[in-house]
Amino acid sequence: MSKIRFKALHDVQHRPAVTFESLGRPSSLFKSNVFGEQAMRQFLSKSTIDSVQTAIRKGDNIDRITADAIATGMKSWALDKGATHYTHWFQPLTGATAEKHDAFFEITTDGHVIDKFDGGQLAQQEPDASSFPNGGIRNTFEARGYTAWDPTSPAFIYDNTLCIPTVFVAYTGEALDYKTPLLKALNTIDQAATAVAQYFNKNVNKVTATLGWEQEFFLIDASLAAARPDLMLTGRTLLGHAAAKGQQLDDHYFGSIPIRVLAYLKELEQECLLLGIPLKTRHNEVAPNQFEMAPIFEEANLAVDHNALLMDVMQKVAQRHHFKVLFHEKPFENINGSGKHNNWSLATDTGVNLLSPGSTPMKNLQFLTFFVNTIKAVHEHEALLRASIASAGNDYRLGANEAPPAIISVFIGSQLTQVLDELEKVTDGKLSPQEKTDLKLNVIGKIPEILLDNTDRNRTSPFAFTGNKFEFRAVGATANCANPMTVLNAIVAQQLIAFKKEVDALIDNKDMKKDDAIFNILREYIKDSKKIRFEGDGYGASWEKEAKKRKLSNNKTTVSALEARISKSTVALFESLGIMNNVEIQARYEIELEEYVKRIQIESRVLGDVARNHIIPTALRYQNVLIDNVRGLKEIYGEDFTAFAKAQTTIIKSISDYTASINSLITEMINARKEANALDLKDKAGNYAAKVKPFFEQIRRDCDKLELLVEDELWPLPKYRELLFVN
């Protein structure tokens, strides 16, 4: 086995440089393979384009005649681009994307071949999709899941295939994907935010939720990764002693991008530009061999699609550069894990960012309205927000190194804290002219000034305001952004609906002016949600103790966090807004619990196999070398050999102790697994978290001790120093 490790290291050192041909300036490449406005103008009539744009803007259905016209134009464009197949591209509840390719050509009754693609094929397909997670919504033998075109996300060509973004629903109508609830949540936030925004500008007719994600990842040489069964099967290292040098010198962060990595990123960026993914930023992250890419902000649904597509493209391009991309939230012990910060805001069709302070007191009152309502929404549903980013991988990351803790809190900075403190003092009822003037001049009017130099230095906050947006930092690197974005947009929409109802009641029933009513409601919201705001360090027992006093949830495991998925308040939230029904909510809970069990189960089995089949035999082989050495010393020195063999006998004993411990712990872990497997899903998940997973750390500890004892040339697995510093 050690030969594989050294063969991998040899491969890395002797790889020829991978080059790619630049196709031109980014601006000339952008959206070249996207059926967007430019392509539509060339292949569709003006009336058809108007119908598509109206459907996108208003959410109307597209009739069959229009769909046929779109399909004809789309087919012509795709064939001109060299496409041979088409597929409905969707996002099932696996966390990955899915596609089934069909060729354009068909054979007519007289034996001729034609290129066929009509409105029916564009609008809907029936994939054989019975094996996707469904949480009991469908029986396995019922394969009738339907994909339906999402015209708000443009079709694109990748690998000579026309990809049509779609939703994925069951025959009975329940959502089986991430996109369907997200689209409903985005429609709800549009209506709720538009109604509130019209307090300040009657010309606002639409509000769009925007998203800018930041994708963190590790790049590991493909040969080195292939020599690690744990990396290949689980996406993370289940054992491995820390290298002497890790990230403690901070020399990788924002440093010069390694030549080989830069070549990969350049080709990746070019592929993404062709697909309309507006990547703008690339840089080294904190951990060695860790990097980040980020795009320009987009409408949230499109941004989610682009992130899902990016992760697929990253793996494909990586193969050409002999890299393995690691998206796991914690692939390496004792160094930073990977997140996917979700930067969220709301923008009006009049060009205003509702979470950005403006130049007038009225614009700043608008900002405060959406700012405070968002904080209130997070306060009311912090446990659900935690559940939205729960996964086996993220459990390893949250609360470790620089990642946020599992406790959801909101960071807004000291300056905005002072503003909210001032607003708490607003008079109950109608405001005097003097008070209103003072508020507008000295509190609200100065918000742009105080935010001008309000840099966010609290990197441990899971949900932070960063100048003109909220940044949901607790999202894991493997996550589909639709999950947290569905929850965030839903809870803010619910809160804005409640806000408008309360403001209107004060205006209608208390004869208050609009500004007075808004100030009164915001004052109460600020008081009610004060405990969710936290400006300090998110690590350590002191914050946990304080969070407990504030009655904030602290769900450190996915199993406990997911309980919020099926709480009465969650069901009421989604059902009242028409985003998901109880069947869909329960199904997602079961799917996520089952995924957790399977991932921990796989890790447990891989760890047992690697420890018994690779680590223990290697340790015993080295132990035999030492035993032979001791025998030789005894032959030379006789009874005095013990003085010369002291170090060897100590190591021999240590190897025996560690191998015996590892073997015993693996047996106990297997037994714990068997006991858990006999239980129902909820108890099984709880047992995997509480009784199986704890063995991982114990087995790893003993294996890592052996790594320090065994001769380097015998050790079978690429070590941390090789995985993290060879590129």
Side-chain angles (χ1 to χ4, degrees), residues 300-323:
N301 176 50
L302 184 57
V304 168
D305 282 0
H306 279 164
N307 182 250
L309 179 58
L310 170 85
M311 294 173 75
D312 185 44
V313 175
M314 285 177 74
Q315 295 286 18
K316 290 178 179 177
V317 175
Q319 291 177 12
R320 298 200 286 270
H321 289 258
H322 308 291
F323 277 126

Short mmCIF file of all heavy atoms in Angstrom, two decimals, residues 300-323:
data_model
loop_
_atom_site.label_atom_id
_atom_site.label_comp_id
_atom_site.label_asym_id
_atom_site.label_seq_id
_atom_site.Cartn_x
_atom_site.Cartn_y
_atom_site.Cartn_z
N ALA A 300 -32.01 35.57 -6.72
CA ALA A 300 -31.69 34.42 -5.88
C ALA A 300 -31.87 33.07 -6.58
O ALA A 300 -31.04 32.17 -6.44
CB ALA A 300 -32.53 34.47 -4.60
N ASN A 301 -32.95 32.90 -7.33
CA ASN A 301 -33.18 31.62 -8.01
C ASN A 301 -32.08 31.32 -9.02
O ASN A 301 -31.55 30.20 -9.07
CB ASN A 301 -34.55 31.63 -8.70
CG ASN A 301 -34.82 30.38 -9.50
OD1 ASN A 301 -34.67 29.26 -8.99
ND2 ASN A 301 -35.20 30.54 -10.75
N LEU A 302 -31.72 32.32 -9.79
CA LEU A 302 -30.65 32.15 -10.78
C LEU A 302 -29.31 31.90 -10.08
O LEU A 302 -28.51 31.08 -10.53
CB LEU A 302 -30.57 33.38 -11.68
CG LEU A 302 -29.57 33.31 -12.84
CD1 LEU A 302 -29.85 32.12 -13.74
CD2 LEU A 302 -29.60 34.62 -13.63
N ALA A 303 -29.07 32.61 -8.98
CA ALA A 303 -27.83 32.42 -8.23
C ALA A 303 -27.72 31.01 -7.69
O ALA A 303 -26.64 30.40 -7.70
CB ALA A 303 -27.75 33.44 -7.08
N VAL A 304 -28.84 30.47 -7.20
CA VAL A 304 -28.84 29.08 -6.70
C VAL A 304 -28.51 28.12 -7.83
O VAL A 304 -27.69 27.20 -7.67
CB VAL A 304 -30.21 28.74 -6.07
CG1 VAL A 304 -30.33 27.24 -5.82
CG2 VAL A 304 -30.39 29.50 -4.77
N ASP A 305 -29.15 28.30 -8.99
CA ASP A 305 -28.87 27.45 -10.14
C ASP A 305 -27.40 27.54 -10.54
O ASP A 305 -26.75 26.53 -10.83
CB ASP A 305 -29.74 27.85 -11.33
CG ASP A 305 -31.16 27.32 -11.21
OD1 ASP A 305 -31.46 26.64 -10.21
OD2 ASP A 305 -31.97 27.60 -12.11
N HIS A 306 -26.87 28.74 -10.54
CA HIS A 306 -25.49 28.94 -10.94
C HIS A 306 -24.51 28.30 -9.96
O HIS A 306 -23.47 27.77 -10.37
CB HIS A 306 -25.19 30.43 -11.11
CG HIS A 306 -25.65 30.98 -12.42
ND1 HIS A 306 -25.79 32.33 -12.66
CD2 HIS A 306 -26.02 30.36 -13.57
CE1 HIS A 306 -26.21 32.51 -13.91
NE2 HIS A 306 -26.36 31.33 -14.47
N ASN A 307 -24.84 28.33 -8.69
CA ASN A 307 -23.94 27.68 -7.72
C ASN A 307 -23.96 26.16 -7.88
O ASN A 307 -22.92 25.51 -7.83
CB ASN A 307 -24.32 28.06 -6.29
CG ASN A 307 -23.38 27.44 -5.28
OD1 ASN A 307 -23.76 26.53 -4.53
ND2 ASN A 307 -22.14 27.90 -5.24
N ALA A 308 -25.16 25.60 -8.09
CA ALA A 308 -25.26 24.16 -8.30
C ALA A 308 -24.51 23.75 -9.57
O ALA A 308 -23.81 22.73 -9.60
CB ALA A 308 -26.73 23.75 -8.40
N LEU A 309 -24.64 24.56 -10.61
CA LEU A 309 -23.94 24.28 -11.87
C LEU A 309 -22.43 24.43 -11.68
O LEU A 309 -21.65 23.61 -12.18
CB LEU A 309 -24.45 25.22 -12.96
CG LEU A 309 -23.80 25.10 -14.35
CD1 LEU A 309 -23.95 23.69 -14.90
CD2 LEU A 309 -24.41 26.13 -15.30
N LEU A 310 -22.02 25.48 -10.98
CA LEU A 310 -20.59 25.70 -10.73
C LEU A 310 -19.94 24.48 -10.09
O LEU A 310 -18.85 24.05 -10.50
CB LEU A 310 -20.40 26.92 -9.82
CG LEU A 310 -18.96 27.10 -9.30
CD1 LEU A 310 -18.13 27.87 -10.30
CD2 LEU A 310 -18.93 27.79 -7.95
N MET A 311 -20.58 23.92 -9.06
CA MET A 311 -19.98 22.79 -8.35
C MET A 311 -19.78 21.59 -9.28
O MET A 311 -18.79 20.85 -9.15
CB MET A 311 -20.84 22.42 -7.15
CG MET A 311 -20.88 23.51 -6.09
SD MET A 311 -22.05 23.19 -4.77
CE MET A 311 -21.21 21.93 -3.84
N ASP A 312 -20.69 21.41 -10.22
CA ASP A 312 -20.54 20.33 -11.19
C ASP A 312 -19.40 20.64 -12.16
O ASP A 312 -18.56 19.78 -12.45
CB ASP A 312 -21.86 20.15 -11.94
CG ASP A 312 -21.83 18.97 -12.89
OD1 ASP A 312 -21.34 17.90 -12.50
OD2 ASP A 312 -22.30 19.10 -14.04
N VAL A 313 -19.36 21.87 -12.66
CA VAL A 313 -18.32 22.26 -13.62
C VAL A 313 -16.94 22.20 -12.95
O VAL A 313 -15.95 21.79 -13.58
CB VAL A 313 -18.60 23.68 -14.17
CG1 VAL A 313 -17.46 24.15 -15.06
CG2 VAL A 313 -19.91 23.70 -14.94
N MET A 314 -16.87 22.58 -11.69
CA MET A 314 -15.59 22.55 -10.98
C MET A 314 -14.98 21.15 -10.98
O MET A 314 -13.78 20.97 -11.20
CB MET A 314 -15.77 23.03 -9.53
CG MET A 314 -15.96 24.53 -9.41
SD MET A 314 -16.25 25.06 -7.69
CE MET A 314 -14.60 24.90 -7.01
N GLN A 315 -15.82 20.14 -10.72
CA GLN A 315 -15.31 18.76 -10.70
C GLN A 315 -14.85 18.31 -12.08
O GLN A 315 -13.83 17.62 -12.22
CB GLN A 315 -16.40 17.82 -10.17
CG GLN A 315 -16.81 18.05 -8.71
CD GLN A 315 -15.77 17.57 -7.72
OE1 GLN A 315 -14.60 17.36 -8.04
NE2 GLN A 315 -16.19 17.38 -6.47
N LYS A 316 -15.61 18.68 -13.11
CA LYS A 316 -15.27 18.25 -14.47
C LYS A 316 -13.97 18.91 -14.95
O LYS A 316 -13.12 18.25 -15.56
CB LYS A 316 -16.42 18.56 -15.42
CG LYS A 316 -17.64 17.68 -15.17
CD LYS A 316 -18.80 18.03 -16.09
CE LYS A 316 -19.99 17.12 -15.82
NZ LYS A 316 -21.18 17.47 -16.64
N VAL A 317 -13.83 20.20 -14.70
CA VAL A 317 -12.60 20.89 -15.11
C VAL A 317 -11.42 20.38 -14.28
O VAL A 317 -10.30 20.24 -14.79
CB VAL A 317 -12.76 22.41 -14.97
CG1 VAL A 317 -11.45 23.13 -15.29
CG2 VAL A 317 -13.87 22.92 -15.89
N ALA A 318 -11.67 20.07 -13.02
CA ALA A 318 -10.60 19.57 -12.15
C ALA A 318 -10.00 18.28 -12.68
O ALA A 318 -8.78 18.04 -12.55
CB ALA A 318 -11.14 19.35 -10.74
N GLN A 319 -10.82 17.42 -13.29
CA GLN A 319 -10.30 16.17 -13.83
C GLN A 319 -9.26 16.42 -14.91
O GLN A 319 -8.26 15.70 -14.99
CB GLN A 319 -11.45 15.33 -14.40
CG GLN A 319 -12.39 14.78 -13.34
CD GLN A 319 -13.56 14.03 -13.95
OE1 GLN A 319 -13.57 13.72 -15.14
NE2 GLN A 319 -14.57 13.74 -13.14
N ARG A 320 -9.47 17.46 -15.71
CA ARG A 320 -8.50 17.76 -16.78
C ARG A 320 -7.20 18.28 -16.20
O ARG A 320 -6.16 18.19 -16.86
CB ARG A 320 -9.11 18.78 -17.75
CG ARG A 320 -10.34 18.29 -18.47
CD ARG A 320 -10.62 19.10 -19.73
NE ARG A 320 -11.15 20.42 -19.46
CZ ARG A 320 -12.46 20.67 -19.36
NH1 ARG A 320 -13.33 19.69 -19.47
NH2 ARG A 320 -12.88 21.90 -19.14
N HIS A 321 -7.26 18.84 -15.00
CA HIS A 321 -6.05 19.38 -14.37
C HIS A 321 -5.51 18.45 -13.29
O HIS A 321 -4.62 18.85 -12.52
CB HIS A 321 -6.36 20.76 -13.77
CG HIS A 321 -6.57 21.82 -14.80
ND1 HIS A 321 -5.60 22.74 -15.13
CD2 HIS A 321 -7.64 22.09 -15.60
CE1 HIS A 321 -6.06 23.54 -16.08
NE2 HIS A 321 -7.30 23.17 -16.38
N HIS A 322 -6.04 17.24 -13.22
CA HIS A 322 -5.57 16.22 -12.26
C HIS A 322 -5.73 16.69 -10.82
O HIS A 322 -4.87 16.44 -9.98
CB HIS A 322 -4.11 15.83 -12.54
CG HIS A 322 -3.86 15.45 -13.97
ND1 HIS A 322 -4.35 14.29 -14.53
CD2 HIS A 322 -3.20 16.11 -14.98
CE1 HIS A 322 -4.00 14.23 -15.80
NE2 HIS A 322 -3.30 15.32 -16.10
N PHE A 323 -6.85 17.36 -10.55
CA PHE A 323 -7.19 17.77 -9.19
C PHE A 323 -8.43 17.04 -8.72
O PHE A 323 -9.26 16.59 -9.52
CB PHE A 323 -7.49 19.27 -9.13
CG PHE A 323 -6.28 20.17 -9.02
CD1 PHE A 323 -6.08 21.20 -9.94
CD2 PHE A 323 -5.37 20.00 -8.00
CE1 PHE A 323 -4.99 22.04 -9.83
CE2 PHE A 323 -4.27 20.83 -7.89
CZ PHE A 323 -4.07 21.85 -8.82
#
